[in-house]
Amino acid sequence: MSSKITVGLVAMSLIWFTACHKPRSSKSTSQNPAKDTTLITRGPASRDSIKTDTAAVDTVAIAPDTREPMPEVKVNEVDFDYLTAKSKFSFKSAKQDFDNTNVNIRMKKDSIIWLSVTGVGLEVARGIITRDSIVFMDKIHRDYFVFNYEQLSKQYNFDLNFDLLQSVIIGNMPFEMQEEGHFIKENDFYVLKQLVDRLEVDNYVAEKNQKLSRLKATEVPTQNTFTLDYEDFRETGGFLFPFMSHISLNVLSKEQQKLETTMRLKHSKVELVKQSPGFPFNVPSSYKRKR
């Protein structure tokens, strides 16, 4: 596959599965990361509404709710200043299919995501994602392209955000806990159910490690869905970090055809560091901008 297609798919597919409305507000790094990186929420026990005839209220016996209330659920999250990762990215759709593309990732929390795509020992493409724009260079064809989030949101009919992309990459919950949200117990998971704009969101938090293990979002009008599964959790910098992410997208095209896309991001190495790893990015004047 050409580097031009590869870097475009890597960038756009990472963005595509995160294209789902408003992100959670980012949390600043504190001097006590153990407190800062754990989202503590409580899910109330569900109760059936009981209607009584006011005239007969003295004769109606209301049985107490004896169901055990939900325990306090602590969702363990990753906090960091800078991140570096060596990864492999795979992608499959009706038109494209490639496996294990080498991608190096560098991140500055809440600010920069830097990507370098390599092939046969050489860098073939480089990209940088900031809070304002997304820029990618194709080093083989000597061109580059630039997007802002408003353009991409109109193109894909989704609200794209840097914060949401960051959260999904590192395995944190992408949507902030809401008063209307509630947990239910489902097998070995605590499932936080949320309604975010047009999305019905299910966050599956594993009972054994209190990590987000699955995210399923369904857009109510269209029934378009994406599912994100996290696997292979390893301790990294004092946090459990998912070294494998599987993404499945199921959407209807404008022609009402069902389109399925699957992706996989597999890390071989992840480091959370205090010092900046550097984010070198400079578009040569000889490169042509693609539109």
Side-chain angles (χ1 to χ4, degrees):
M1 168 179 290
S2 71
S3 64
K4 184 177 180 180
I5 297 176
T6 299
V7 71
L9 288 174
V10 169
M12 297 309 299
S13 54
L14 282 175
I15 294 167
W16 174 256
F17 75 82
T18 66
C20 297
H21 308 285
K22 298 178 181 179
R24 60 177 304 156
S25 59
S26 57
K27 294 177 292 197
S28 60
T29 305
S30 73
Q31 294 180 348
N32 188 348
K35 290 183 179 179
D36 227 27
T37 58
T38 301
L39 173 66
I40 302 177
T41 58
R42 181 180 298 275
S46 60
R47 298 177 181 272
D48 297 327
S49 59
I50 301 174
K51 297 181 180 179
T52 60
D53 187 342
T54 54
V57 68
D58 292 334
T59 64
V60 176
I62 301 177
D65 189 344
T66 60
R67 287 173 289 185
E68 183 177 347
M70 284 290 299
E72 185 177 81
V73 179
K74 298 181 180 180
V75 184
N76 294 327
E77 301 202 304
V78 177
D79 199 4
F80 64 100
D81 293 321
Y82 298 95
L83 174 151
T84 64
K86 294 184 180 297
S87 315
K88 290 186 179 294
F89 186 80
S90 301
F91 180 95
K92 185 175 182 179
S93 68
K95 296 182 179 180
Q96 300 291 343
D97 187 353
F98 65 90
D99 193 39
N100 289 332
T101 296
N102 294 313
V103 181
N104 293 318
I105 302 173
R106 299 178 185 179
M107 297 179 63
K108 178 181 179 181
K109 184 182 179 183
D110 300 332
S111 181
I112 300 171
I113 300 172
W114 180 94
L115 303 172
S116 173
V117 180
T118 60
V120 198
L122 299 174
E123 184 181 50
V124 297
R126 185 178 296 189
I128 192 164
I129 302 171
T130 67
R131 304 197 70 86
D132 298 320
S133 62
I134 300 166
V135 185
F136 275 87
M137 290 189 296
D138 180 347
K139 290 193 169 185
I140 301 299
H141 296 85
R142 302 179 66 83
D143 54 28
Y144 70 102
F145 51 93
V146 182
F147 297 100
N148 61 45
Y149 294 103
E150 182 180 359
Q151 291 172 322
L152 291 174
S153 297
K154 289 180 179 179
Q155 182 176 349
Y156 291 105
N157 197 28
F158 285 105
D159 184 13
L160 304 176
N161 304 275
F162 178 93
D163 293 310
L164 184 55
L165 177 58
Q166 173 181 258
S167 295
V168 173
I169 289 176
I170 63 178
N172 288 346
M173 291 178 55
F175 301 107
E176 188 174 297
M177 178 64 179
Q178 304 164 319
E179 291 184 4
E180 297 81 6
H182 64 281
F183 281 95
I184 64 171
K185 186 69 165 58
E186 186 174 313
N187 298 323
D188 296 328
F189 297 93
Y190 297 112
V191 184
L192 172 60
K193 292 184 170 292
Q194 298 172 288
L195 182 61
V196 184
D197 292 339
R198 300 190 305 270
L199 290 179
E200 293 178 347
V201 182
D202 290 342
N203 305 269
Y204 289 77
V205 180
E207 184 177 15
K208 64 180 180 180
N209 59 15
Q210 303 291 281
K211 288 292 297 182
L212 180 65
S213 297
R214 164 174 279 204
L215 174 74
K216 182 177 180 181
T218 303
E219 192 176 47
V220 177
T222 64
Q223 293 301 299
N224 290 342
T225 64
F226 75 79
T227 304
L228 171 63
D229 289 289
Y230 291 112
E231 300 176 6
D232 192 15
F233 289 92
R234 306 181 197 177
E235 185 172 344
T236 302
F239 303 97
L240 281 179
F241 196 98
F243 272 62
M244 179 88 75
S245 301
H246 292 274
I247 304 100
S248 177
L249 302 170
N250 290 278
V251 303
L252 287 177
S253 68
K254 294 180 180 179
E255 294 77 22
Q256 296 300 301
Q257 293 181 332
K258 184 178 180 180
L259 303 176
E260 182 176 5
T261 303
T262 59
M263 289 161 274
R264 184 183 71 240
L265 183 63
K266 183 177 182 180
H267 305 299
S268 59
K269 183 178 181 180
V270 175
E271 291 183 312
L272 307 178
V273 296
K274 293 294 185 180
Q275 299 297 322
S276 173
F279 304 94
F281 195 89
N282 181 53
V283 179
S285 59
S286 60
Y287 280 34
K288 294 182 179 179
R289 180 171 177 175
K290 304 294 289 186
R291 300 183 184 276

